[in-house]
Amino acid sequence: MQKLPVHKSFLNAFRGLFMMMKTERNFQIELAAFFINIFLIFYFRLSAVDTALILMVSLAVLSAEIFNTAIEKICDMIQPDFDRRIGFIKDVSAGAVLLMAAGSVVVGVVVYWKYVF
């Protein structure tokens, strides 16, 4: 299979992001949280290290949500009817997003605490 030109690879990646923004409610919520964090980074004038921490965990949550959605879509293609094994895979995948989101909240509290109080 022939490799795509770099610009087409980027276009495909951006199309995937736009599809996530358009169709996935949880991604939209997490994206809103990301933009709130961008605002807070400037509002509180976070240090470079704190900014990097907030951006890393925010982007990790968004990435986890993308992987979760991909896994769920693949599962739905493989087995459109209810299957407890597929349900287990979907639940584990969603659990990974939940774990990452909870971790990002902890990081957010630790980072923002010193700026708020």
Side-chain angles (χ1 to χ4, degrees):
M1 183 171 172
Q2 187 176 353
K3 288 188 175 185
L4 291 175
V6 173
H7 73 280
K8 287 199 177 193
S9 294
F10 277 102
L11 286 174
N12 289 339
F14 282 114
R15 182 176 37 235
L17 287 174
F18 288 124
M19 289 168 44
M20 287 293 295
M21 286 187 260
K22 185 177 178 182
T23 63
E24 298 299 320
R25 182 198 55 185
N26 288 347
F27 190 80
Q28 294 164 352
I29 293 166
E30 293 154 356
L31 197 58
F34 173 74
F35 285 119
I36 290 167
N37 276 298
I38 296 296
F39 170 79
L40 292 174
I41 286 168
F42 288 104
Y43 181 80
F44 289 122
R45 297 180 182 172
L46 268 60
S47 70
V49 171
D50 289 342
T51 297
L53 286 170
I54 294 297
L55 291 177
M56 283 190 327
V57 295
S58 296
L59 293 171
V61 170
L62 291 169
S63 297
E65 188 63 48
I66 290 169
F67 288 130
N68 177 52
T69 299
I71 290 167
E72 287 185 354
K73 299 294 182 190
I74 290 169
C75 286
D76 290 343
M77 286 176 56
I78 292 171
Q79 180 56 271
D81 298 325
F82 176 79
D83 184 318
R84 65 178 177 79
R85 297 169 299 179
I86 294 292
F88 175 82
I89 294 167
K90 287 180 167 186
D91 290 348
V92 168
S93 179
V97 178
L98 179 63
L99 188 62
M100 189 66 238
S104 72
V105 168
V106 171
V107 170
V109 168
V110 169
V111 168
Y112 289 123
W113 187 267
K114 63 187 166 197
Y115 294 94
V116 174
F117 299 106

